[in-house]
Amino acid sequence: MKLLGSVTAKKSPRVTAMAVAAIAVIGVSLTAPAVSHAQSGRSVPPTARYVSSNGQGFILDTSGSRALMRFERSTEVWVLRATPAPRGDIIYRNDNGDQVLRVTPNGAVTLYTTTAPQGSPASRVGDAQGLANAAMTGAQLVDYFMRQSYRASQAMGRLIVIDVDIQPGSEQVAADTVSAASDAIVRMARSSNLRSQVERVRRVVVSDQGRPSVTLVQGTLRIVIDADAGIAGRPSSARIVRVVGGEALNR
C-alpha cells in the first residue's frame, strides 16, 4: 500500500495552507510493536510519572525490553538505550548519544536536558500507563498527520509538505516519525541559533524503502524507517535536529 498525497487545512493568520499525507485505506488498525531494552541486570526504575527538581515532568516506561520516555506537553516518545556506568549506575541515552537519565542502584533518578545539562534530580510522583500507542483508524491517522503538519508549518510561517510512502504494517512507525520531524522543525524554528538552518526544509518525506537514514537534500528532509524494529526503527527529534543542522551548514 502506498500512502502518498496532500490535504489542505484551514487558514491561519501565519499559514495559508497545510499539506499532509492522505491515507488510501480507511480503517487500518495500528498497534505498537515490541521494542528491545537491555535490563543490564541492575536496578531499573518502575514505570511511573516523574518530576525533576526544576519542574520538568515525564513518563518513564520500563515495562518492555527497551525503556521509553515522554516529556509532559510533548507527543514524542523517546527510545532509550541502557548502558552500565561506574558505581553500579545505569545511563539511559537517546539515539543521538545524549545522556537523558542516570539511575543509581538505590533507584535515585537524575534527568539531563538542555536546560539542566548537569542533571536535575527527579522523583516518582505517581503511577502511569505504558507508552505503547493505542489503535488508530485511517481517518484518525489523516487527522494526526494534518495536525503535525500544521504545527511545523505554523512554526515556520509557511507551508511544510509532509509525504508518506510506505507499505502496510509501517503506519504506526511512520506516524511516530512524522511527529519527531515536526518536533525537530518546531524546536529549530524557535531557536535563534538554529532558525537559519531549518529554513532550508520545505518538504518532509517518510519512506520504509531502503536503508534507515535521515538526509536533507535540496529542501527535502527524507527519513527512511525500519518498521520491523518498531519505534526503535525511526530517528528521534534530536537526531533530526543534528542532521538538519549539519547538512544545512555543509551546503
Side-chain angles (χ1 to χ4, degrees):
M1 177 174 62
K2 185 176 183 180
L3 309 183
L4 189 61
S6 64
V7 178
T8 301
K10 295 180 180 179
K11 294 183 179 180
S12 73
R14 297 181 59 199
V15 184
T16 59
M18 311 293 150
V20 297
I23 303 303
V25 177
I26 302 300
V28 177
S29 178
L30 305 178
T31 55
V35 292
S36 296
H37 160 52
Q39 298 292 346
S40 305
R42 305 186 180 193
S43 176
V44 175
T47 297
R49 177 176 177 266
Y50 296 79
V51 175
S52 69
S53 59
N54 63 3
Q56 175 66 68
F58 62 94
I59 293 174
L60 179 64
D61 179 0
T62 57
S63 62
S65 56
R66 184 171 292 192
L68 305 177
M69 177 182 175
R70 180 175 62 78
F71 289 103
E72 292 184 343
R73 298 183 296 277
S74 173
T75 60
E76 180 172 9
V77 175
W78 297 78
V79 180
L80 304 180
R81 176 172 54 89
T83 57
R87 301 187 302 275
D89 294 357
I90 300 175
I91 294 177
Y92 290 90
R93 300 182 184 275
N94 61 25
D95 65 339
N96 196 44
D98 305 318
Q99 178 173 300
V100 179
L101 297 173
R102 188 181 189 109
V103 181
T104 66
N106 64 6
V109 178
T110 302
L111 173 68
Y112 296 84
T113 64
T114 54
T115 56
Q118 302 305 314
S120 176
S123 301
R124 179 182 176 184
V125 296
D127 296 332
Q129 294 183 338
L131 294 174
N133 292 294
M136 189 183 301
T137 67
Q140 290 172 328
L141 194 56
V142 170
D143 179 69
Y144 182 78
F145 283 151
M146 179 173 287
R147 286 186 281 112
Q148 295 303 318
S149 179
Y150 181 86
R151 283 203 308 131
S153 298
Q154 188 175 52
M156 295 300 297
R158 58 172 170 77
L159 177 66
I160 297 291
V161 176
I162 295 180
D163 288 331
V164 179
D165 184 3
I166 59 174
Q167 301 299 316
S170 299
E171 297 92 347
Q172 189 58 62
V173 179
D176 289 333
T177 305
V178 168
S179 177
S182 296
D183 284 347
I185 291 171
V186 170
R187 188 183 313 165
M188 297 183 76
R190 293 174 177 173
S191 170
S192 58
N193 296 328
L194 300 174
R195 175 77 191 205
S196 62
Q197 299 169 25
V198 76
E199 284 288 353
R200 293 177 178 267
V201 178
R202 299 285 171 175
R203 180 170 174 249
V204 177
V205 175
V206 177
S207 172
D208 60 359
Q209 304 300 305
R211 185 176 180 180
S213 61
V214 183
T215 58
L216 175 60
V217 179
Q218 296 181 344
T220 296
L221 175 61
R222 182 175 179 81
I223 304 173
V224 181
I225 61 175
D226 177 7
D228 291 337
I231 194 172
R234 55 87 172 151
S236 68
S237 60
R239 183 180 167 199
I240 295 172
V241 168
R242 185 185 67 182
V243 170
V244 171
E247 294 286 353
L249 290 174
N250 292 328
R251 291 180 185 277

